[in-house]
Amino acid sequence: MPSSAPFLSIVLTGRNDEYGVDFRTRFLRTLAFNTRELAHRGIPYEIVFVEWAPDPQRPLLVDLVVDTIAALRDTRSFRGIVVDRAYQDALSLNPRLEYLEFLAKNVGIRRAAGEYVLTTNCDVFLSRAVLDVLQQGCLEPRVLYRAVRHDLKIAADSSFVDWDLLEDPRNLEHPPRPLTPPLMGGGTGDFLLLDRASLHALGGFNEVYRVARIGIDHNFLVKVLSDGLTIRDIGGPVYHLNHLGSYRITRHVYKGREGAAPYGDIRWHSRGVIYANPPTWGLVNAPEGEENAHKSRLRFSWDAVPPLVDLRRVVLPVARTGAPYPGSFAEP
Amino acid sequence: MKGTLKRLGVVGPRHYHHLLDQLQKAEARHAKLIEELDRARASAKAYQSKLGEVEKALRTQQADAAHHLRRAEKLTAEVDRLRMESRQKLETVKRELTVAREALMAVDVKLDILEGAANVLDLRTRDVVARRSSVTESAV
């Protein structure tokens, strides 16, 4: 790791086709808030934003970020990686899957330089308590930090986001789901903070099971425990900007026909079976061309694409003595 | 005269008849007592014999009880052994079930991957074939 590496890399991913309804607005609003608060507290950070399979007819989000948020024009604070859309088609094992979100996150994780890497979503605000911990820098390696998630009401006016809006209980949906051991799941994809070395040793998120997007974050927790790491509550929440098209809102639409969901079938054994990613995880072999100081592109190459099927990499989690068994059988 | 006769031990006919009557009564009572004594003796003998039988039966019962007690102890030990064996077997079955379920989960996941790959390859093949057909048609 270079000596100039920041303390924190925040890995985000998105698509420029308004995937998830009104994505651009939510993304820019959240990014502006989080980066302002990080800078205000003097926390050294970089944003690694992976723009997955962009629509060539639309402007790139990477360019939009640099144009909109002045603080991110500093090349140390922001890196955008644009991934050729051919990777989506080449990697997907489910024609219904519109977005291989966790493979996109792996692209960012693989290229993150920070001592600690936070993988989160583009509509998640960090809380004061979380920022306090980051500011104090008192994180431990081999500990995966999780945060409970508060959902902001859709009706809440989020055109201007400040602490008053986020911390007013009237703006929050039902109480957040508590994080319960051993897995501490619930809104998992919204906050996963781990030291970079451990995250790289784990090989990021599951790249073998490319049939679903849903449950991949939970599956990561099972792998974390199986590999002997600890999962801990960081001690503060994050705030999620609830929106139409979110999983929380749309999941009922696919009840009884789970296999047809655009995020994959939720009933897969994400709690019982883990993975050993190939050494090429995170599209490490993809040819990368730097377009400018903020933006690089991953061009398509079959060399970067793992095999369609690699069944030896589907493995069972290890039950560790003294610790609860990480996985459990779920009847389909 | 009466006094002289009395002194000589001679009793009058009325007294004589009274004494005779008393003697007969005493003899009858004696005979009855003898008879009752014989009955009592016979009864005592019968009871004695019954007592012997009861004692014998008691001894047999005691022996049976001891036998049954030993059998019960043996059976209790056997039940304990079987219970322990069952518990061990149950644990083994549980472990095997867990392993089987884990294997089933892994197989399910692998099948998902294989099915996904088959679907993707099917789409790609259809695409290639469609493109070839259109090229052929345009050439014709």
Side-chain angles (χ1 to χ4, degrees):
Chain A
M1 193 167 56
S3 58
S4 60
F7 171 68
L8 181 69
S9 291
I10 299 180
V11 172
L12 297 168
T13 172
R15 294 186 0 171
N16 69 346
D17 58 355
E18 295 293 294
Y19 183 85
V21 185
D22 200 22
F23 178 84
R24 201 167 61 175
T25 312
R26 284 183 286 124
F27 169 46
L28 293 174
R29 198 170 283 162
T30 313
L31 192 60
F33 178 88
N34 286 339
T35 51
R36 187 179 70 225
E37 291 302 321
L38 286 163
H40 178 66
R41 288 167 182 261
I43 300 166
Y45 74 91
E46 65 163 358
I47 302 289
V48 181
F49 177 68
V50 179
E51 186 154 0
W52 184 260
D55 179 348
Q57 306 303 316
R58 291 169 180 256
L60 286 174
L61 293 167
V62 172
D63 296 332
L64 207 65
V65 167
V66 179
D67 291 346
T68 315
I69 306 172
L72 294 181
R73 285 175 202 144
D74 172 5
T75 53
R76 287 168 301 176
S77 304
F78 181 78
R79 279 196 288 153
I81 302 159
V82 182
V83 180
D84 193 315
R85 59 187 295 122
Y87 281 112
Q88 168 72 27
D89 297 331
L91 289 163
S92 178
L93 284 173
N94 180 351
R96 288 194 180 88
L97 265 189
E98 295 164 350
Y99 184 12
L100 290 166
E101 179 189 337
F102 290 95
L103 267 80
K105 282 181 174 168
N106 275 357
V107 169
I109 290 168
R110 194 82 204 240
R111 288 156 183 81
E115 189 184 346
Y116 284 84
V117 178
L118 169 64
T119 48
T120 179
N121 289 327
C122 288
D123 47 10
V124 170
F125 299 94
L126 303 176
S127 68
R128 285 188 215 256
V130 169
L131 288 161
D132 286 346
V133 175
L134 295 174
Q135 188 175 13
Q136 287 154 18
C138 51
L139 300 173
E140 285 177 44
R142 292 185 62 78
V143 175
L144 175 74
Y145 292 92
R146 295 273 301 109
V148 287
R149 181 178 83 177
H150 283 290
D151 278 311
L152 283 167
K153 286 179 180 167
I154 291 182
D157 178 14
S158 58
S159 54
F160 179 74
V161 179
D162 60 6
W163 292 120
D164 290 340
L165 174 88
L166 297 176
E167 292 173 345
D168 186 342
R170 288 171 301 180
N171 293 329
L172 307 176
E173 297 269 12
H174 41 76
R177 216 172 101 188
L179 302 175
T180 47
L183 291 172
M184 313 279 273
T188 309
D190 287 334
F191 194 94
L192 290 163
L193 174 61
L194 182 62
D195 66 285
R196 182 176 161 276
S198 299
L199 192 47
H200 279 219
L202 289 168
F205 296 103
N206 193 338
E207 288 197 359
V208 183
Y209 191 82
R210 305 191 297 271
V211 189
R213 173 167 68 90
I214 194 79
I216 297 291
D217 46 358
H218 211 96
N219 189 234
F220 177 72
L221 298 179
V222 180
K223 181 166 173 67
V224 163
L225 279 190
S226 176
D227 280 41
L229 277 72
T230 305
I231 305 179
R232 196 179 293 164
D233 185 347
I234 197 166
V238 289
Y239 304 96
H240 171 244
L241 206 52
N242 214 357
H243 56 93
L244 294 171
S246 73
Y247 169 69
R248 281 187 82 91
I249 291 171
T250 57
R251 64 182 159 171
H252 306 291
V253 176
Y254 295 98
K255 203 169 181 187
R257 50 187 194 103
E258 286 79 1
Y263 40 77
D265 192 336
I266 192 172
R267 297 168 301 176
W268 79 278
H269 299 299
S270 58
R271 288 159 191 250
V273 178
I274 57 167
Y275 55 96
N277 276 343
T280 57
W281 69 273
L283 299 183
V284 75
N285 289 341
E288 187 166 357
E290 198 171 285
E291 282 198 10
N292 60 43
H294 294 288
K295 181 169 67 180
S296 60
R297 277 185 192 269
L298 294 192
R299 291 188 304 278
F300 183 75
S301 163
W302 280 109
D303 293 339
V305 178
L308 210 54
V309 173
D310 196 353
L311 298 182
R312 291 166 310 146
R313 296 190 173 281
V314 175
V315 292
L316 292 170
V318 177
R320 291 187 174 269
T321 315
Y325 186 70
S328 63
F329 180 78
E331 290 286 352
Chain B
M1 177 77 171
K2 253 184 187 180
T4 311
L5 285 173
K6 205 173 185 178
R7 273 196 301 273
L8 288 174
V10 178
V11 291
R14 214 168 63 189
H15 189 59
Y16 172 75
H17 283 296
H18 174 70
L19 289 174
L20 197 64
D21 188 39
Q22 273 191 339
L23 178 67
Q24 279 170 349
K25 273 182 185 171
E27 275 175 354
R29 205 173 161 205
H30 176 252
K32 199 177 173 186
L33 282 172
I34 296 260
E35 202 176 295
E36 276 178 10
L37 183 64
D38 286 347
R39 267 207 305 273
R41 273 184 187 146
S43 176
K45 207 175 175 184
Y47 276 119
Q48 212 165 14
S49 149
K50 222 173 191 177
L51 185 68
E53 278 171 24
V54 167
E55 274 177 353
K56 199 178 164 190
L58 183 66
R59 275 197 298 276
T60 311
Q61 295 281 349
Q62 276 173 340
D64 274 2
H67 170 70
H68 285 307
L69 190 68
R70 280 196 301 277
R71 206 159 161 237
E73 281 168 355
K74 251 186 193 173
L75 286 172
T76 308
E78 181 69 4
V79 165
D80 286 347
R81 190 184 64 78
L82 287 172
R83 193 177 286 156
M84 193 175 282
E85 242 179 57
S86 300
R87 264 193 214 130
Q88 283 168 351
K89 272 185 188 164
L90 187 66
E91 286 305 313
T92 310
V93 168
K94 272 185 185 171
R95 271 200 304 276
E96 282 172 0
L97 187 64
T98 305
V99 170
R101 280 177 166 170
E102 285 171 359
L104 183 65
M105 281 193 286
V107 168
D108 267 356
V109 165
K110 288 176 184 181
L111 282 174
D112 282 355
I113 293 172
L114 286 172
E115 189 185 359
N119 287 336
V120 165
L121 289 176
D122 179 50
L123 283 177
R124 288 182 193 169
T125 310
R126 283 166 193 263
D127 190 41
V128 169
V129 170
R131 264 192 244 163
R132 272 188 200 154
S133 304
S134 64
V135 168
T136 313
E137 277 168 22
S138 61
V140 172

